[in-house]
Amino acid sequence: MAKDKIKQQVVFSDDEIRERLTKRFEALEIMSDATVTGKNRSLIVSGPAGLGKSYTVEQTVIKNADKVNSITIKGYVRPTGLYKTLYEHRHSNCVVVFDDADSIFADDVSLNILKGATDSTEKRTIRWLAETKMLDEEGEKLPRSFDFDGSVIYISNYDFDSFVDKGHRLSPHFEALISRSHYLDLAMKTKQDYIVRIEQVIEGGMLKDKLGDSEVKVIMNFIKQFKDNLRELSLRMVLKLADLYKMDANKWQDLAKITLMK
């Protein structure tokens, strides 16, 4: 009788995680810059919310603001809005950044438009074959098809590889997007990963204008102690804790337990 195989989880040290995350975020900086400046056509960035992926891309866009025409799309996206946005940013000096716009995955039309924009072929033609007629900002009718020469950065909280491995109904779409784009998974899967990432950003001076070194250390120790109770492990949570500390240095932990814990 065959013995059941027990899958053991590999445990990494904080130093190993730190090295891995440093390399991943360095890759994000390099690849974001290449995509914003048109050297790369499409980049998909996957990672948990609130740990710096959007900020890194945003800083790259700001740095190149005098060279490129950029737009950032957030929230709910309709197929018509997606088509129109890509048309208006179709030129080679344009970049479209999608951030927290995963509603696209709920609509097959939007998905197919996105796949057209991220295609790796020399010529990317995006088509609108529905009956709906669309107008640009000047009231002119948009064409039924156009060539897209801009760049796309898609920032998502979804782990594309995990969805594919699990055979999710959207797996074919995720596989198609990974095939078309450069796909960067920031490899933050565990609470230990989150904690190390938060420490990295704090060490980089995130709270230097808010609190002293000893106070920052106290907040970091609080996060480590209550990592399983806090509603989220994110940079936003760090800022909230710092705000509470500034409100009342004696009662901040009580305030945090009341307002920030499950």
Side-chain angles (χ1 to χ4, degrees):
M1 184 175 181
K3 295 182 178 179
D4 293 335
K5 294 182 179 179
I6 301 175
K7 187 176 180 180
Q8 294 183 340
Q9 184 176 2
V10 179
V11 178
F12 296 98
S13 68
D14 284 358
D15 287 341
E16 289 173 322
I17 295 173
R18 183 180 296 269
E19 182 181 2
R20 165 166 42 89
L21 295 183
T22 297
K23 289 180 178 179
R24 299 271 172 156
F25 275 90
E26 285 177 352
L28 177 57
E29 290 180 8
I30 294 169
M31 298 176 79
S32 295
D33 187 77
T35 309
V36 169
T37 56
K39 297 173 186 175
N40 176 51
R41 289 183 165 186
S42 177
L43 172 65
I44 296 173
V45 184
S46 169
L51 290 171
K53 61 185 187 299
S54 297
Y55 177 80
T56 303
V57 173
E58 179 185 337
Q59 292 304 301
T60 304
V61 171
I62 291 173
K63 182 180 70 174
N64 292 283
D66 59 333
K67 306 173 188 175
V68 299
N69 179 16
S70 68
I71 185 171
T72 298
I73 306 298
K74 294 189 176 186
Y76 182 70
V77 182
R78 291 180 180 274
T80 50
L82 176 59
Y83 186 89
K84 183 177 177 181
T85 297
L86 292 172
Y87 175 76
E88 292 172 347
H89 295 81
R90 65 192 182 279
H91 301 298
S92 58
N93 67 330
C94 296
V95 58
V96 181
V97 179
F98 296 92
D99 187 6
D100 193 22
D102 287 336
S103 62
I104 286 176
F105 296 123
D107 187 284
D108 287 341
V109 175
S110 294
L111 269 169
N112 287 325
I113 292 173
L114 181 63
K115 285 190 286 188
T118 59
D119 204 328
S120 58
T121 56
E122 187 66 26
K123 185 177 182 180
R124 289 171 291 170
T125 301
I126 299 176
R127 294 180 172 83
W128 181 263
L129 301 178
E131 293 300 321
T132 306
K133 294 181 180 179
M134 288 180 285
L135 305 177
D136 64 15
E137 293 179 350
E138 283 73 40
E140 297 294 327
K141 187 169 68 172
L142 299 183
R144 290 292 185 179
S145 67
F146 63 91
D147 291 338
F148 181 72
D149 295 318
S151 298
V152 172
I153 298 179
Y154 194 96
I155 306 170
S156 177
N157 298 335
Y158 287 175
D159 183 339
F160 284 31
D161 286 328
S162 177
F163 276 93
V164 171
D165 290 343
K166 293 176 181 177
H168 190 273
R169 65 178 182 83
L170 291 175
S171 291
H173 294 297
F174 287 126
E175 287 180 309
L177 288 168
I178 291 173
S179 176
R180 286 164 166 77
S181 303
H182 283 286
Y183 175 69
L184 175 58
D185 179 1
L186 292 175
M188 291 181 283
K189 314 294 185 186
T190 68
K191 290 182 179 180
Q192 186 183 9
D193 295 336
Y194 296 1
I195 293 290
V196 172
R197 174 59 185 164
I198 289 170
E199 283 184 313
Q200 280 185 317
V201 178
I202 288 178
E203 289 166 5
M206 177 185 180
L207 298 178
K208 65 179 180 181
D209 296 328
K210 288 180 173 286
L211 302 171
D213 291 343
S214 61
E215 296 165 325
V216 170
K217 186 175 181 180
V218 169
I219 286 179
M220 194 66 235
N221 287 337
F222 180 88
I223 292 172
K224 290 179 178 179
Q225 181 181 357
F226 295 104
K227 65 181 184 295
D228 294 324
N229 306 98
L230 291 168
R231 287 200 180 92
E232 62 176 326
L233 290 174
S234 69
L235 301 178
R236 289 188 287 267
M237 179 62 72
V238 175
L239 293 175
K240 288 179 181 179
L241 288 168
D243 288 342
L244 292 177
Y245 192 100
K246 290 178 68 177
M247 290 179 195
D248 192 315
N250 295 316
K251 297 285 188 178
W252 73 274
Q253 292 197 35
D254 291 335
L255 296 172
K257 290 175 182 178
I258 294 171
T259 63
L260 301 179
M261 289 189 180
K262 302 171 186 176

